Amino acid sequence: MTATARRFLDALPAVYRERLLSFARDRSFTAGSRVFDEDEEAGLFWILRSGRVALDAQVPGRGPVVVETLGPGELLGWSWLFEPFRWHLGAAASEAVEAHEFDAARVRAAIEDDPAFGLAMTRCVASVAIGRRLRACRIRLLDLYGPANGAGRRGPP
Amino acid sequence: MADVPRSAVIGRDGLDSLIRALSARGRTVVGPTVRDGAVVLAELSGGDDLPYGWGVELEAGRYRLVERADGAAFAHSAGPQSWKTFLHPQRERQWTADRDSDGAMTFSQEATPAPSYAFLGVRPCDLRAIAIQDRVLTGGPHEDSNYRSRRERALLVAVECTEPGATCFCVSMGTGPAAGPGYDLALTEVVDGAGHRFLVRAGTAEGASLLDEIPHRTADPGTRAAAESAVTAAADHMGRTMPPVDLQALMRGTLSAERWDDVASRCLTCGNCTMVCPTCFCTTAEDITDLTGDHSERWRRWESCFDLEFTHLPGGPVRATPHSRYRQWATHKLGTWYDQFGSSGCVGCGRCIVWCPVGIDITEEAHALARERDAHAPAEER
Amino acid sequence: MPVPYRVLRAGEETPGTVTLELVPEHVALNPFRPGQFAMVYAFGAGDAPFSVSGMDGDRLTLTVRSAGAVSAALARARAGGTLGVRGPFGTGWDEPAGRDVLVVAGGIGLAPLRPLVRRTVAARERYGEVSVLIGARRPGELLYNGEILGWREAGARVLVTVDRPEPGWADDVGVVTNLLDRAVFDPAVTDAFVCGPEVMIRVVARELAGRGVPAERIRVSLERTMHCGTGHCGHCQLGPLLLCQAGPVVSWARARHPMSVREL
């Protein structure tokens, strides 16, 4: 495990991993099915075991535009942990998905009951999901592969 | 060779004969001469062209000729030019390209023989500078063949330093004031009650044969002792010093020092220091096409790392601030030159100090960096 | 002095990027190794460094993105035209010596890696896992699209991600580091090869080092201005590295510090 581990469960101390998994149930999504939509209540969340999920935003005239894809080991959804507990983006299975599914209200209740578990969960969500995705997003903001921006390898002025 | 003198004493007439002997061997003799208020390097037609009776007064941003009563020829220190002007000229055509009507290209390189130079009056610091440029331009995986042919055909007459300037710090850099290896002949000027004369030592067979050809007398113990003590005394009155630390490590360890902001606030990024530096070698490539559009020439000319466009990626210049450009120059000269070429790139000649229009002094900057590092280092590391 | 090469084929790779196949007009240069670069001259415009994207006997392949005067002139080159080429210059990619091979490319950075990928998949049985992770801006800007299937069939795990998907894009969306979790490699016995924009190189190399790939076994290919290619013009310095000689391929152990200093 490293500080940059993307696999959510690997980043959680063993005792809290067991604790979290005690709330898990199996869930599968067929390719193309929607997992949630923007602004819906974030009542569930998932840790992907296999397959791929695309996070998207509805852009009029363009339909759902994919902003990022998530793969095995990754946490799908963090809005369930913070108010107002609503999804910021939509999500769809871009291929068949197997996942652990969690009931957000039960996990939040467990977090309220046990601050140590709460701290571990919050740290993990913040670093593995939010922090990582924020860093990735900032790198993409640089549009590094664009022709005018340093990608014309070994080109002169 | 046994009868060839390896050392001897010559007078002004001997020096004059030396210049004539070098010319007679087909060499272009270049040495110091007074022109435009400075001691410059130019072709010499005879001994009278040498700057007898001229000294210099040097300070940061200041260069003045002063008359001397003793008539010495080499009592000046480094002038605005260095030998790279001749060995690594400011502009040089490298090759030409021609395109025929089918668009096929041919490339050619001119085969004009390099001039056969004799450099008279190479200071020990400059002798080292030539060796450093040799390493850069001919010592790597690829060699600059034009440089090599000029260099191989050049004869070097070194002159040891007995009158260092106020901006000199060759002792700190280990390059002078005594001449190191690489010369064909080395002179030490002595002016005292016993007269105006030069102790001459030959470093090569060609140097020895020249010495044999010119009027000379046996090196007497008095002249030897006077020459030696003059050079030793020169070592004791250097105008500047570098901090007595590992400069490579100092440069590597101070890349984010505040001192760079300080010097950047004074630096005009004019690049004078790079032009006068005897080791700065950077060049740029220029392609010039004639009006027919079918003949193009590749030239290379001196370039300075102070130019904004010196390192340019498609997104823009890499070193966009004076801060990073001065730091590049100084850290390359004193630090990363070791990584790239196995030695310091600075020889302590002091030209960059003298010819900086705002008087930036590389030794002062190095001392300031050392102080800043020490101030920030934990006590046990000091 | 350059050696004339004839353009055998010039094909648009992606908009603004062409792949040129060159054959020597008379005498060929010494063979290039994967990762080495050539100084390529367009008549009257000058020359610029390009890592070769393929070599086959005397033939050289270059992939050029139109960015400056020289690359724009090269991008306009047509079959039958002549260019001048000097080289080979610089360090190449070391032949992978570990069990697993991991190639990470961003944008046009796949071009210098292509000869390494081809050589590695051609000797696929020598290695454990071979993963090729490719990041591109858009699906349409993905280089060598026609070859990727062949790399997969030869046994490489090739994963592609884009920043901006287009309708119908079924692969990943996101930064190339996101693919690392799906590449299969044992960090302790992996040789990693990384090329792309400098920020991307830093992010990928730090991530690989964080996962335990030894810094000496992470090789990155760097870019700076070059006027000569022969170590004489001084332009391509990155701190202690004179990149035309110490690079363009440098280990992360040597590149890490200079790449982290601002405006070095």
Side-chain angles (χ1 to χ4, degrees):
Chain A
M1 191 197 86
T2 68
T4 51
R6 221 177 156 223
R7 290 174 179 271
F8 186 81
L9 291 172
D10 292 349
L12 205 58
V15 54
Y16 299 124
R17 189 186 312 147
E18 301 296 315
R19 180 83 177 274
L20 178 64
L21 284 173
S22 74
F23 297 110
R25 57 182 176 248
D26 288 345
R27 178 71 192 267
S28 41
F29 295 96
T30 54
S33 59
R34 286 205 73 76
V35 182
F36 53 79
D37 281 308
E38 185 180 321
D39 208 37
E40 277 179 359
E41 187 191 339
L44 299 170
F45 67 94
W46 301 266
I47 293 171
L48 305 183
R49 296 206 306 270
S50 66
R52 181 162 46 200
V53 170
L55 298 174
D56 57 28
Q58 291 294 328
V59 180
R62 285 169 65 193
V65 174
V66 177
V67 295
E68 185 156 31
T69 50
L70 303 178
E74 287 194 89
L75 175 69
L76 171 58
W78 52 265
S79 302
W80 60 272
L81 186 55
F82 304 98
E83 285 171 339
F85 310 122
R86 289 186 174 278
W87 300 121
H88 297 277
L89 292 168
S94 44
E95 48 191 61
V97 166
E98 296 292 331
H100 297 295
E101 183 175 82
F102 301 88
D103 184 283
R106 285 186 66 199
V107 177
R108 283 199 301 262
I111 282 173
E112 297 298 329
D113 285 350
D114 180 355
F117 175 59
L119 181 60
M121 279 295 293
T122 309
R123 270 189 171 155
C124 201
V125 170
S127 80
V128 178
I130 303 175
R132 240 198 102 96
R133 288 174 208 169
L134 178 60
R135 287 198 297 277
C137 175
R138 285 169 169 173
I139 291 164
R140 284 168 65 192
L141 272 178
L142 296 172
D143 194 18
L144 295 168
Y145 304 140
N149 235 334
R153 281 195 59 78
R154 309 197 199 296
Chain B
M1 290 288 290
D3 52 338
V4 174
R6 307 305 291 187
S7 71
V9 171
I10 63 171
R12 277 184 67 154
D13 60 331
L15 207 48
D16 200 36
S17 301
L18 177 61
I19 293 169
R20 274 188 273 109
L22 288 166
S23 298
R25 291 183 179 198
R27 292 186 176 276
T28 302
V29 185
V30 180
T33 191
V34 171
R35 185 179 294 168
D36 302 329
V39 176
V40 301
L41 298 176
E43 192 171 340
L44 302 177
S45 53
D48 290 345
D49 290 343
L50 291 168
Y52 285 108
W54 288 101
V56 291
E57 213 177 77
L58 305 178
E59 244 325 314
R62 181 184 162 84
Y63 180 101
R64 293 289 182 279
L65 282 182
V66 287
E67 285 190 68
R68 296 176 60 93
D70 64 1
F74 299 106
H76 52 87
S77 35
Q81 294 152 298
S82 69
W83 306 97
K84 76 175 182 183
T85 307
F86 303 93
L87 292 174
H88 184 47
Q90 286 183 41
R91 270 184 106 244
E92 183 173 35
R93 184 162 58 202
Q94 295 190 292
W95 38 265
T96 58
D98 288 280
R99 188 165 58 176
D100 68 19
S101 49
D102 301 328
M105 252 185 261
T106 50
F107 297 93
S108 52
Q109 214 158 9
E110 51 199 325
T112 42
S116 170
Y117 286 119
F119 296 151
L120 174 61
V122 180
R123 297 302 182 163
C125 56
D126 282 350
L127 196 58
R128 177 69 66 85
I130 291 170
I132 289 172
Q133 283 213 330
D134 289 351
R135 167 64 189 86
V136 172
L137 296 169
T138 63
H142 308 275
E143 69 163 27
D144 179 335
S145 54
N146 289 344
Y147 177 90
R148 176 179 282 283
S149 71
R150 282 187 294 267
R151 180 65 183 88
E152 278 175 348
R153 292 161 66 87
L155 181 132
L156 307 182
V157 181
V159 175
E160 297 192 302
C161 273
T162 52
E163 290 263 346
T167 50
C168 288
F169 55 102
C170 64
V171 168
S172 289
M173 303 316 296
T175 64
Y183 58 79
D184 292 281
L185 287 172
L187 313 184
T188 315
E189 187 169 30
V190 178
V191 192
D192 60 15
H196 189 173
R197 61 210 189 276
F198 304 87
L199 177 70
V200 191
R201 285 169 294 148
T204 61
E206 185 168 10
S209 81
L210 278 163
L211 185 51
D212 194 32
E213 209 175 301
I214 63 176
H216 64 271
R217 56 187 165 86
T218 312
D220 57 292
T223 304
R224 281 179 188 279
E228 199 182 325
S229 74
V231 174
T232 308
D236 292 337
H237 54 270
M238 285 288 123
R240 297 284 199 277
T241 61
M242 274 292 182
V245 299
D246 177 341
L247 291 170
Q248 184 186 17
L250 177 65
M251 293 299 124
R252 196 168 45 219
T254 54
L255 290 170
S256 23
E258 286 172 10
R259 182 67 187 188
W260 301 117
D261 286 328
D262 185 286
V263 64
S265 71
R266 290 172 277 134
C267 177
L268 308 177
T269 67
C270 68
N272 263 16
C273 48
T274 59
M275 298 293 113
V276 297
C277 176
T279 67
C280 271
F281 60 86
C282 290
T283 54
T284 190
E286 269 179 354
D287 292 276
I288 298 163
T289 306
D290 74 2
L291 288 173
T292 68
D294 291 324
H295 176 80
S296 190
E297 300 188 343
R298 160 58 58 90
W299 288 76
R300 64 141 196 69
R301 61 167 174 77
W302 286 0
E303 163 88 319
S304 170
C305 54
F306 284 91
D307 289 351
L308 185 58
E309 299 299 309
F310 184 79
T311 173
H312 190 115
L313 289 176
V318 173
R319 298 185 199 106
T321 59
H323 173 116
S324 59
R325 298 207 289 284
Y326 183 85
R327 184 185 65 183
Q328 163 61 24
W329 179 71
T331 57
H332 186 220
K333 196 64 45 186
L334 298 174
T336 53
W337 205 291
Y338 285 97
D339 300 282
Q340 295 168 10
F341 306 112
S343 76
S344 171
C346 175
V347 297
C349 70
R351 287 182 177 93
C352 57
I353 306 172
V354 172
W355 297 98
C356 176
V358 295
I360 292 170
D361 177 344
I362 192 170
T363 67
E364 186 188 330
E365 298 310 316
H367 279 286
L369 288 166
R371 280 194 304 271
E372 184 175 338
R373 180 182 65 172
D374 292 349
H376 288 117
E380 66 271 22
E381 284 179 22
R382 279 182 207 171
Chain C
M1 193 166 69
V3 166
Y5 271 68
R6 189 157 39 82
V7 180
L8 203 61
R9 267 195 310 178
E12 186 178 71
E13 191 68 51
T14 67
T17 306
V18 297
T19 290
L20 305 174
E21 257 189 69
L22 308 178
V23 283
E25 290 274 20
H26 314 290
V27 186
L29 294 166
N30 289 330
F32 284 70
R33 287 182 289 113
Q36 288 190 301
F37 71 94
M39 295 295 293
V40 188
Y41 173 79
F43 189 86
D47 59 5
F50 294 91
S51 291
V52 293
S53 59
M55 56 283 283
D56 178 12
D58 280 353
R59 287 190 193 180
L60 289 178
T61 308
L62 298 171
T63 301
V64 178
R65 174 174 285 184
S66 181
V70 176
S71 54
L74 294 174
R76 286 193 300 269
R78 291 291 165 261
T82 315
L83 300 172
V85 186
R86 295 187 289 130
F89 295 129
T91 54
W93 304 109
D94 308 82
E95 201 163 320
R99 197 190 69 200
D100 297 340
V101 179
L102 176 64
V103 172
V104 188
I108 192 86
L110 183 57
L113 287 162
R114 177 175 175 256
L116 174 82
V117 172
R118 288 163 68 116
R119 200 162 282 190
T120 304
V121 299
R124 180 65 187 85
E125 70 287 352
R126 272 193 230 163
Y127 306 104
E129 298 288 340
V130 175
S131 302
V132 181
L133 314 183
I134 302 169
R137 192 191 201 194
R138 299 173 191 282
E141 292 176 26
L142 184 62
L143 299 180
Y144 316 125
N145 219 342
E147 283 179 52
I148 289 175
L149 185 62
W151 299 348
R152 285 191 176 124
E153 283 169 350
R157 180 186 297 262
V158 185
L159 304 173
V160 180
T161 186
V162 297
D163 281 347
R164 302 179 191 189
E166 287 157 8
W169 177 252
D171 265 314
D172 278 283
V173 178
V175 293
V176 73
T177 43
N178 286 359
L179 299 175
L180 285 172
D181 278 313
R182 284 190 286 120
V184 180
F185 61 101
D186 174 353
V189 292
T190 294
D191 279 297
F193 304 91
V194 186
C195 188
E198 205 162 302
V199 176
M200 169 260 172
I201 290 176
R202 294 203 302 264
V203 170
V204 170
R206 275 203 292 263
E207 174 101 20
L208 291 174
R211 287 167 185 245
V213 182
E216 298 74 32
R217 305 186 76 159
I218 302 170
R219 277 70 153 224
V220 304
S221 179
L222 300 177
E223 176 185 22
R224 282 293 181 273
T225 315
M226 290 180 190
H227 285 201
C228 70
T230 55
H232 304 145
C233 79
H235 287 259
C236 65
Q237 294 177 61
L238 176 63
L241 305 170
L242 196 57
L243 283 178
C244 69
Q245 288 180 5
V249 175
V250 182
S251 76
W252 179 238
R254 295 182 75 190
R256 180 178 188 156
H257 179 251
M259 285 180 82
S260 66
V261 179
R262 194 170 58 89
E263 291 199 355
L264 195 68

